[in-house]
Amino acid sequence: QVQVVESGGGLVQAGGSLRLSCAASGLTFTQYVMGWFRQAPGKEREFVANIARGGGASYYADSVKGRFTISRDNAKNTVSLQMNSLRPEDTAVYYCAANAFVAGRDSRDYDYWGQGTQVTVSS
C-alpha cells in the first residue's frame, strides 16, 4: 500500500528557517511528480511547489519564490522543502503529495497525500 509521510514541522521565529521532508513508499517514485501544498485554518488548500519526475524542473507559488527550495532524492524516495526567511503568513499545515499523470499545480490532480505537518511562524 502507498504511504506518504511528512516530517520536520515545528515552531520558528519570523526570519528563521525550517526543512520539511517527505518519504514515500509503495509506489514507483520516479513515475510521480511530487508537490507541496499548505492549508491554514479557514482557508483553501494552496499550491506551494512541485518538482519534475527526474528533478530537472520545479515550479513555485509567487508567495514563496526565492525563499523556498524543493528537491528530491530518487534513490531514497524522498522529497524536501527548504524554507528560509519565514513569515507569519507561512503558518499552515504542509502536505506532501504525489501526482502520477499531470505536472500541475491543482491539488485535484494529485493521487496520494501525506497526513500533513504543522509549521508555525511567530512574530
Side-chain angles (χ1 to χ4, degrees):
Q1 58 186 38
V2 174
Q3 288 188 301
V4 180
V5 181
E6 305 97 334
S7 61
L11 174 64
V12 298
Q13 296 180 0
S17 297
L18 203 61
R19 186 177 181 88
L20 306 182
S21 295
C22 171
S25 62
L27 51 75
T28 303
F29 188 70
T30 55
Q31 294 181 353
Y32 289 82
V33 173
M34 300 299 298
W36 287 95
F37 294 78
R38 67 187 184 186
Q39 187 167 25
K43 299 183 70 176
E44 298 286 332
R45 185 170 297 187
E46 66 175 350
F47 171 80
V48 176
N50 65 15
I51 188 165
R53 294 169 179 84
S58 58
Y59 188 86
Y60 299 89
D62 288 343
S63 59
V64 307
K65 193 173 299 180
R67 300 188 297 122
F68 291 10
T69 303
I70 189 171
S71 60
R72 68 190 293 163
D73 185 341
N74 286 340
K76 297 181 178 179
N77 286 13
T78 60
V79 60
S80 297
L81 186 70
Q82 178 66 46
M83 305 184 294
N84 298 326
S85 301
L86 284 162
R87 305 164 180 168
E89 54 263 42
D90 295 318
T91 296
V93 176
Y94 283 70
Y95 296 91
C96 179
N99 181 345
F101 302 106
V102 180
R105 296 173 286 280
D106 188 335
S107 64
R108 293 170 293 183
D109 292 331
Y110 286 75
D111 303 288
Y112 302 107
W113 293 81
Q115 81 289 344
T117 186
Q118 177 71 47
V119 172
T120 303
V121 184
S122 64
S123 60

